[in-house]
Amino acid sequence: MSSTADGVTEPTTFRLHDREWDLLPGVFAPTYCVSTGFFTESLPFPVGGSFLEVGCGTGVTAVSAAAKRCARVVATDISEAAVENTRLNAARHGLSERIELYRGDMFDGLGPGDRFDLIFWNSPFIDPGTDDGPSARPVRDDMREQLRQAVFDPGYRAHQRYFTEAGARLTAGGRLLLGFSSLGDHDTLRRLAADAGYRISVLRTSGDLVRGVDYQLLELVPDDT
């Protein structure tokens, strides 16, 4: 694998969950951390139902959802490279016709009537602090910026949007899940969730799978109290 501190520099492959996967430059590599593997094996995929993955990256989770017989799988990502990467992996595993792909930020690109039984986002849980826009940072190439968006969410603005808009994308009884970590800001997360009318329930944690980091599969439950 040809790589730098910023990620792979040429197309390559990796192995995860007993499958081979394509990896394109500019897309976060699941081999660099265990979160993709952990969340994919932990998700309660709605067999026969509909699944939306926000921020599909390499497509491991979306392709796995189709392989586990979700009737409809939709995957979105703000990164053109990630959308293409997911397309390649859907084709690699013979599931191209089972996965709909859209490039857009969060729920952009979806039809007005699209609703899902399960929505999931493996979120960029690190808040780097103040972010005053591109003019305040050194010029970055597109690859580095796309990788940055996969890791950092300044001010948790993307999380706020996810909580605010996701409810309108759920079926009756649909479930809203989030991939998070012990390294994230849980106080801010709970506040944003409460503001949007949710309480947070922990479905599963990675425990000591990785020393010093606990990955957490969270469910946003409507707070009817």
Side-chain angles (χ1 to χ4, degrees), residues 185-200:
D185 184 344
H186 283 259
D187 289 339
T188 297
L189 192 74
R190 283 191 293 268
R191 176 177 58 78
L192 293 175
D195 288 346
Y198 295 102
R199 58 182 174 83
I200 295 176

Side-chain angles (χ1 to χ4, degrees), residues 97-161:
E97 295 183 0
R98 301 277 306 281
I99 301 175
E100 303 170 40
L101 287 167
Y102 299 98
R103 183 190 178 190
D105 187 6
M106 207 64 69
F107 303 103
D108 295 346
L110 300 178
D114 281 338
R115 302 290 185 275
F116 302 91
D117 298 313
L118 182 66
I119 299 176
F120 171 69
W121 180 32
N122 183 358
S123 71
F125 49 78
I126 300 298
D127 181 356
T130 58
D131 183 355
D132 298 323
S135 62
R137 300 193 304 269
V139 174
R140 301 173 183 269
D141 60 37
D142 289 342
M143 183 187 303
R144 291 185 180 184
E145 184 61 25
Q146 289 169 3
L147 288 167
R148 181 179 181 276
Q149 291 172 339
V151 178
F152 300 111
D153 180 15
Y156 276 16
R157 291 191 292 270
H159 284 81
Q160 183 177 32
R161 182 181 176 191

Side-chain angles (χ1 to χ4, degrees), residues 170-193:
L170 290 168
T171 59
R175 302 176 70 180
L176 180 61
L177 271 60
L178 182 77
F180 207 65
S181 162
S182 58
L183 300 180
D185 184 344
H186 283 259
D187 289 339
T188 297
L189 192 74
R190 283 191 293 268
R191 176 177 58 78
L192 293 175

Side-chain angles (χ1 to χ4, degrees), residues 3-88:
S3 64
T4 68
D6 298 305
V8 298
T9 57
E10 60 186 44
T12 185
T13 61
F14 64 95
R15 188 166 184 82
L16 185 62
H17 290 171
D18 297 323
R19 294 175 182 261
E20 293 289 330
W21 305 89
D22 289 298
L23 175 63
L24 297 181
V27 181
F28 185 79
T31 51
Y32 289 168
C33 74
V34 303
S35 63
T36 298
F38 169 72
F39 292 131
T40 300
E41 71 181 13
S42 301
L43 283 169
F45 291 116
V47 176
S50 52
F51 174 74
L52 168 65
E53 182 181 19
V54 173
C56 55
T58 57
V60 168
T61 303
V63 171
S64 297
K68 291 181 180 294
R69 302 190 305 280
C70 289
R72 184 188 184 200
V73 177
V74 177
T76 72
D77 204 292
I78 196 172
S79 163
E80 183 176 357
V83 171
E84 178 59 24
N85 206 151
T86 299
R87 193 186 314 279
L88 287 173

